[in-house]
Amino acid sequence: SDSTTTGQDKPSALPSIVCRDCYAPPGKLRIVIHSTKDGPAIHTVKEGSSLEGHVFPGDLIVAIDDVDTRAFTAEQVMRVMTARANQERKISVI
């Protein structure tokens, strides 16, 4: 194995996971969410969605307004989104 150092940060085996916070305006989001083994994920971002270009198919929804949603089903996430539909929502995705 090559043990030379390059002066860079130590290599990581896993790609770094960057959490992104998206702010969704009040109203319908026009996204489709499905349940995965890793948690609720974006399935489709419909044309005209306020989140178009901010969230993408395959993104995991890890929190809504700082409430951890990783153990939620897609249906539970949609319920939370709908319950808060009259206000801006912070959606955290990875």
Side-chain angles (χ1 to χ4, degrees), residues 46-88:
K46 295 181 181 172
E47 207 174 307
S49 167
S50 57
L51 293 174
E52 210 172 7
H54 299 284
V55 298
F56 304 92
D59 284 353
L60 287 176
I61 300 170
V62 293
I64 299 167
D65 293 333
D66 297 319
V67 174
D68 188 337
T69 57
R70 288 173 295 183
F72 284 28
T73 63
E75 192 179 322
Q76 288 171 311
V77 168
M78 289 308 294
R79 262 194 236 127
V80 172
M81 299 266 209
T82 304
R84 297 166 188 242
N86 61 348
Q87 62 198 52
E88 183 181 73

Side-chain angles (χ1 to χ4, degrees), residues 6-26:
T6 60
Q8 295 176 335
D9 292 335
K10 58 181 183 269
S12 64
L14 296 170
S16 61
I17 294 173
V18 179
C19 183
R20 300 192 316 280
D21 291 337
C22 306
Y23 291 88

